[in-house]
Amino acid sequence: MKSGAQILIEGLTEQGVDIIFGYPGGVVLPIYDELYDADIRHILVRHEQAAIHAADGYARASGKTGVCLATSGPGACNLVTGLATAYMDSIPVVAITGQVPTSLLGNDAFQESDITGITMPVTKHNYLVTDARDLKRIIREAFHIASTGRKGPVLIDLPKDVCTSMVPDVDGPDEQPRLRGYKPKYQGHSKMIQRAVDLLLQAKRPVIYAGGGVISSDASAELVALAEKMCMPVTTTLMGLGCIPTDHPLNLGMLGMHGTEYANYAITESDLLFSIGVRFDDRVTGKIEAFAPQAKIIHIDIDPAEIGKNKQPDVPIVGDAKSVLSDILKKIPESCPHPEWSEKVAMWKKNHPLRYTSDGKLHPQFVIKTLADVLGEKGIIVSEVGQNQMWTAQWFKFTRPRQWISSGGLGTMGYGFPASMGVHFACPDQPVFVLAGDGSFQMNIQELGTVAQYNIPVKVIVLNNQYLGMVRQWQQLFYERRYSYTELPEVHFERIAKAYGIEAATVRNASDVEAAIRTALAHPGPYVLDVRVEREENVFPMVPAGANISEMIVGHHTEHEEE
């Protein structure tokens, strides 16, 4: 006989789980008692939202499924934002929540919440377990659902009496679950693949538009091979950064609202848009009817619901990006250069580089460029959300997939710092840097306690401008500089970090940035750099809401250009 809690731990071990991020509470004490002797490491966070973000960061960096654990009621509810974050970005996470005993369900018992009902819109699937004998099967199904097809979060809700009940050790066959109605399609349709090849060979101005699906399917090598074979420029979404190296001659960087000018121009003038693992979301497309107006569209996605949702493709291909790209590559007979198109794209890159004011002051773009130069090909970059995120996406030089970790679809402030903890445990040999704004860093600043307790060597660079910077930028450009509730009081992050026993420094001059980054990098534990950047620096280019992506505000600069 075994308890439900014992079966849970055995099931997690069977799935290869070696780390859980969580916070204990009354109804999950049976689980925590089993964890005491388990070969699974538990990281005690300071807030449940940090647990789900850390599990999410672990999943993004490793490609595995992240796991978090919370108690019932408020503990479970504190996971909701993180579940929505993972759901929007298709990240495999299994969240385990405690629940009041089954006899009290629906009675408004102490710390009861209908967490399966609450999270139904933001999980790929969820379970309320009422019989411990079902638990081993449910664990297998949850990990299978989270990690296959279009990946996403799954929640398992465990009433306390299910955890404590003793049941026979019934163990079904250790095989891939067979779920009625759930059969992700990995192979693309052969006729659609041939149609895509025909369009590729006919195109004169093709562009690849690559998203997070390329990263999820580990299809970066196939993407680069196709781009090189077809001489196609590549532009990526925020989630697709790293699928092609930043310095690759075919890389146009990010497109959309804060994308490069040359990426947006190339999309607008393309005659074929080869779209892989993307959502055609509003931050990318701008005015949707004017997006790629001259282009035939090929759309590859493992989720059939995404195809045609926002933009109708000429060639829809449901399937895994790696599989479909491999099949297409086999059918391309030889390299297909487009000299006139390549020359035009090269001209745009030369004439419209990313740029910022070069006046000796401390600009955030300079900080990110310096960090990229110091790290070279090392390191994993995690961002918060806001101006810090866009500047990092624009100016850091990514060399590989899973080097860039950020909340894309939901845009969750407070995500980056706790996510970095999971990133470290996924890739302990890589330096991990967090780029944060002072607003977003304060949303989960309590996790300084977690990184101090476990000596998690993440390095935080706070681009401190004493504003909610992205909102302030919109107020400046579109609301006549009426800064309504976006100015923040000065915070001395160095003092706060040191109160937790964490080394820290404050940087006020551009000439001190490189040395400060090198000091942080060399330090064996966590480190916080409070960098006092220009307060009213803006992110450019910028596409105003409702405009075409070719209608960009580019700002006015004494220019320092990208290399």
Side-chain angles (χ1 to χ4, degrees):
M1 302 287 283
K2 291 182 179 178
S3 70
Q6 287 177 305
I7 294 170
L8 172 67
I9 298 304
E10 286 183 3
L12 295 176
T13 302
E14 176 189 278
Q15 296 300 320
V17 175
D18 55 9
I19 190 165
I20 292 176
F21 304 90
Y23 201 93
V27 299
V28 290
L29 284 179
I31 299 173
Y32 272 86
D33 190 58
E34 292 299 327
L35 276 172
Y36 190 84
D37 297 316
D39 291 329
I40 298 174
R41 186 174 188 184
H42 179 279
I43 301 299
L44 175 64
V45 297
R46 299 303 184 266
H47 191 286
E48 291 89 356
Q49 187 181 135
I52 181 74
H53 289 330
D56 174 303
Y58 176 89
R60 294 188 201 228
S62 68
K64 302 177 184 177
T65 300
V67 181
C68 64
L69 173 60
T71 193
S72 63
C77 288
N78 282 340
L79 299 180
V80 173
T81 298
L83 288 167
T85 300
Y87 184 74
M88 287 286 281
D89 290 346
S90 306
I91 306 303
V93 172
V94 170
I96 300 163
T97 54
Q99 185 55 277
V100 299
T102 53
S103 61
L104 296 179
L105 287 172
N107 290 339
D108 294 331
F110 177 67
Q111 291 194 332
E112 179 188 4
S113 64
D114 177 15
I115 196 62
T116 54
I118 290 169
T119 61
M120 190 174 292
V122 294
T123 53
K124 191 175 175 184
H125 194 62
N126 61 29
Y127 295 88
L128 172 60
V129 185
T130 57
D131 190 331
R133 289 171 293 187
D134 297 328
L135 191 50
K136 185 67 73 71
R137 171 185 58 81
I138 286 172
I139 293 167
R140 288 172 177 165
E141 290 180 3
F143 277 82
H144 176 65
I145 292 169
S147 61
T148 56
R150 181 175 182 173
K151 299 171 185 178
V154 176
L155 181 136
I156 302 173
D157 196 30
L158 284 169
K160 186 173 183 179
D161 58 321
V162 173
C163 293
T164 57
S165 63
M166 302 299 293
V167 296
D169 185 14
V170 178
D171 194 8
D174 185 7
E175 59 184 28
Q176 182 171 295
R178 297 178 182 178
L179 300 170
R180 193 173 182 180
Y182 181 71
K183 295 180 180 178
K185 184 177 174 61
Y186 287 86
Q187 301 296 318
H189 194 286
S190 59
K191 289 185 178 179
M192 293 295 104
I193 287 172
Q194 186 58 54
R195 285 178 60 187
V197 170
D198 293 341
L199 283 183
L200 282 167
L201 295 176
Q202 294 164 14
K204 303 298 182 185
R205 302 185 306 280
V207 175
I208 292 176
Y209 160 35
V214 176
I215 307 289
S216 295
S217 66
D218 296 321
S220 296
E222 289 78 8
L223 168 75
V224 174
L226 181 64
E228 292 175 346
K229 199 168 190 180
M230 295 297 300
C231 300
M232 280 193 292
V234 179
T235 181
T236 74
T237 66
L238 182 74
M239 296 300 300
L241 289 170
C243 69
I244 182 171
T246 297
D247 60 1
H248 193 288
L250 290 172
N251 189 0
L252 300 182
M254 187 172 68
L255 80 162
M257 178 174 282
H258 293 295
T260 64
E261 292 177 67
Y262 40 87
N264 287 348
Y265 290 145
I267 290 287
T268 303
E269 294 203 16
S270 66
D271 67 353
L272 177 67
L273 192 61
F274 190 87
S275 315
I276 317 165
V278 296
R279 296 185 293 118
F280 289 89
D281 68 284
D282 57 297
R283 285 296 175 107
V284 162
T285 65
K287 188 177 180 181
I288 187 70
E289 57 269 26
F291 182 72
Q294 305 172 49
K296 296 282 188 181
I297 296 176
I298 299 166
H299 189 180
I300 301 166
D301 205 289
I302 200 164
D303 184 358
E306 282 300 337
I307 294 181
K309 186 177 77 175
N310 294 323
K311 191 80 171 175
Q312 191 63 42
D314 297 275
V315 180
I317 305 177
V318 177
D320 175 69
K322 189 179 186 73
S323 170
V324 174
L325 288 175
S326 296
D327 288 343
I328 288 175
L329 276 166
K330 294 172 187 174
K331 290 178 175 289
I332 301 294
E334 56 189 20
S335 62
C336 303
H338 307 280
E340 292 183 6
W341 180 233
S342 297
E343 185 177 331
K344 190 166 192 178
V345 171
M347 179 191 71
W348 283 327
K349 291 186 76 170
K350 180 181 178 181
N351 294 341
H352 303 282
L354 290 170
R355 50 200 180 269
Y356 66 91
T357 304
S358 182
D359 55 6
K361 296 180 180 178
L362 185 44
H363 295 278
Q365 301 95 325
F366 171 77
V367 177
I368 294 161
K369 278 184 89 279
T370 304
L371 176 62
D373 292 339
V374 169
L375 288 178
E377 296 188 1
K378 296 185 301 181
I380 298 176
I381 304 302
V382 189
S383 87
E384 288 290 352
V385 167
Q387 287 183 315
N388 64 87
Q389 180 186 37
M390 294 298 103
W391 283 319
T392 307
Q394 290 177 337
W395 289 93
F396 194 85
K397 296 179 181 178
F398 299 101
T399 61
R400 62 189 185 279
R402 304 191 187 278
Q403 189 183 12
W404 163 246
I405 310 293
S406 192
S407 168
L410 198 64
T412 305
M413 291 178 67
Y415 166 84
F417 181 38
S420 72
M421 301 188 296
V423 172
H424 164 72
F425 288 109
C427 305
D429 297 329
Q430 285 285 338
V432 178
F433 274 81
V434 182
L435 272 298
D438 48 318
S440 51
F441 184 48
Q442 291 182 78
M443 284 200 165
N444 272 311
I445 197 170
Q446 76 284 337
E447 296 311 311
L448 287 169
T450 307
V451 300
Q453 178 179 352
Y454 298 101
N455 197 36
I456 303 172
V458 296
K459 321 299 181 183
V460 183
I461 298 178
V462 184
L463 301 175
N464 188 349
N465 58 14
Q466 296 170 49
Y467 279 114
L468 298 176
M470 188 60 85
V471 186
R472 182 211 58 76
Q473 176 171 332
W474 279 67
Q475 289 174 334
Q476 176 185 337
L477 297 176
F478 306 113
Y479 292 88
E480 300 178 343
R481 239 188 180 100
R482 290 161 57 85
Y483 293 164
S484 179
Y485 302 103
T486 48
E487 187 167 9
L488 300 174
E490 181 181 14
V491 175
H492 296 275
F493 293 106
E494 179 182 355
R495 298 178 189 174
I496 294 174
K498 288 181 175 178
Y500 280 95
I502 294 171
E503 287 298 312
T506 303
V507 181
R508 300 179 185 274
N509 300 304
S511 58
D512 298 328
V513 168
E514 181 176 345
I517 290 173
R518 291 189 182 279
T519 298
L521 179 61
H523 183 70
Y527 203 100
V528 175
L529 282 178
D530 181 357
V531 184
R532 303 302 179 91
V533 297
E534 283 296 290
R535 294 197 63 202
E536 292 189 280
E537 187 78 51
N538 289 328
V539 181
F540 292 119
M542 179 181 181
V543 178
N548 302 343
I549 62 168
S550 60
E551 299 172 344
M552 291 165 277
I553 302 171
V554 297
H556 303 285
H557 308 270
T558 305
E559 293 181 0
H560 181 102
E561 298 183 356
E562 62 181 324
E563 295 174 3

